[in-house]
Amino acid sequence: MGVPRLQHPPNVETERRISLRFRELREEEHCLSQTGFAEMLGVSRDTIANIEACRAPLRYQVARRALNAEGQHRGPSPVTWPFNPLWLAGESEFPVQMDWPLLLPDTDSLKLPQALRFSEFVATHRSLLAALTTDVPAPDLPETWLQAYLAHWL
């Protein structure tokens, strides 16, 4: 029995692009220091520094909180709309922020590992994310993605 293979192996350039956007999200959109951003996301300042310096990949659960895509507001700004996950992945320039609730499922509902890289999540769900981030979103959401919306609206 061998070591399981990653579905989408890490790509250095992709991880670097995500790290740069993650820092931009912290500095320009949330207007926070590394310490403040770490407190908002429930991680250490070292975790933020390592992600921004490309020493560690951005994990999906941390990205989900940073994007405000959990269905609950985080951070000092009054803005509650989530940020575009494809923008964070460096695959889209616009929109940076969505005008509607864009909720991403937690790893448990998708039966994904807690340490899932954000880049791997995007690679796996790119077409669904693209459908969710258009001007008139019209995705056919899988049942595993609906739980976040049910919890948000009920």
Side-chain angles (χ1 to χ4, degrees):
M1 189 163 184
V3 176
R5 299 271 179 209
L6 292 173
Q7 190 172 6
H8 299 277
N11 175 300
V12 175
E13 184 55 34
T14 298
E15 298 300 335
R16 188 184 72 73
R17 219 176 31 242
I18 290 171
S19 294
L20 292 171
R21 285 283 171 93
F22 186 72
R23 182 177 186 156
E24 185 178 341
L25 180 67
R26 174 183 64 80
E27 291 178 339
E28 297 180 23
E29 303 299 334
H30 287 295
C31 302
L32 291 170
S33 66
Q34 286 183 342
T35 301
F37 202 38
E39 289 171 5
M40 182 183 109
L41 300 180
V43 299
S44 71
R45 190 206 63 79
D46 287 345
T47 297
I48 302 298
N50 286 333
I51 292 167
E52 290 181 359
C54 300
R55 290 188 296 262
L58 176 60
R59 302 294 176 189
Y60 171 69
Q61 289 291 61
V62 174
R64 188 172 168 251
R65 289 191 298 266
L67 291 166
N68 287 337
E70 295 182 292
Q72 55 185 295
H73 174 65
R74 293 180 181 272
S77 72
V79 176
T80 58
W81 298 119
F83 294 92
N84 183 345
L86 294 179
W87 173 84
L88 180 59
E91 295 186 15
S92 172
E93 294 301 317
F94 185 80
V96 173
Q97 196 163 18
M98 309 312 298
D99 292 333
W100 56 85
L102 186 153
L103 305 174
L104 298 176
D106 62 22
T107 52
D108 291 340
S109 65
L110 293 176
K111 295 181 177 34
L112 298 171
Q114 291 291 320
L116 179 73
R117 287 178 292 109
F118 176 66
S119 59
E120 188 169 3
F121 175 81
V122 170
T124 303
H125 300 285
R126 184 174 284 111
S127 61
L128 188 52
L129 292 170
L132 282 167
T133 58
T134 61
D135 283 338
V136 183
D140 184 16
L141 289 174
E143 191 172 319
T144 54
W145 284 57
L146 294 177
Q147 189 59 41
Y149 285 93
L150 289 173
H152 177 75
W153 294 112
L154 298 178

